[in-house]
Amino acid sequence: MAEFPKIKPTSRTFTLGSFPTKTYRALSGKITRRNFGNKAFGHAIDLGFDNIEEDIVKLIVDHYDAQGGQTLGFTIPLEIFSGLDLLQSSLRSPSQTLWFYAEAPSIASVYRSLSSVAVKLVAEIL
């Protein structure tokens, strides 16, 4: 199984997933919500890599291409999570989580041979 390149991000934004819930509304207007599971899904993480060199950008682009864009799942190295114990506990076990690209990485040229890359990933817990 493929692994995301071992690059420490300069910024991370983690969004907790939601639980499988269905909302029912009666004719009277009363709302009832029913939960259909005990595991959240759709965790997301936005990674920012600022002022990185072109060879590092190429690692990210090559990984995206190797995963068929948003098709194949992969793991994330622990370097991505360093310092975020809450994130690790929210996912129960990062090693049992498959990540997928939510969209293609966004690359902004900063200066000659320096770029900033934004990567958006969503999780599927096994």
Side-chain angles (χ1 to χ4, degrees):
M1 175 164 312
E3 183 176 67
F4 191 80
K6 292 183 180 182
I7 310 165
K8 189 171 182 181
T10 53
S11 66
R12 297 172 289 206
T13 303
F14 179 67
T15 306
L16 287 169
S18 22
F19 288 87
T21 304
K22 179 79 174 161
T23 302
Y24 300 96
R25 183 178 301 270
L27 292 176
S28 65
K30 182 175 179 350
I31 294 175
T32 302
R33 289 184 178 84
R34 174 138 185 187
N35 197 346
F36 287 96
N38 63 353
K39 288 186 180 178
F41 67 94
H43 298 291
I45 190 167
D46 295 348
L47 303 172
F49 302 93
D50 294 331
N51 302 321
I52 57 176
E53 296 186 6
E54 294 299 314
D55 56 337
I56 306 296
V57 174
K58 184 171 176 9
L59 286 174
I60 296 170
V61 171
D62 288 348
H63 182 263
Y64 176 76
D65 290 341
Q67 298 316 113
Q70 302 166 352
T71 308
L72 301 174
F74 52 92
T75 58
I76 291 181
L78 292 178
E79 286 84 357
I80 299 290
F81 300 114
S82 64
L84 267 178
D85 296 334
L86 171 67
L87 175 59
Q88 290 184 32
S89 63
S90 296
L91 294 173
R92 294 194 176 96
S93 172
S95 63
Q96 294 185 354
T97 304
L98 274 184
W99 292 90
F100 295 84
Y101 285 94
E103 58 187 49
S106 172
I107 303 167
S109 178
V110 176
Y111 187 69
R112 200 181 323 164
S113 80
L114 286 180
S115 298
S116 291
V117 179
V119 176
K120 296 178 186 241
L121 306 174
V122 291
E124 292 294 332
I125 298 175
L126 304 176

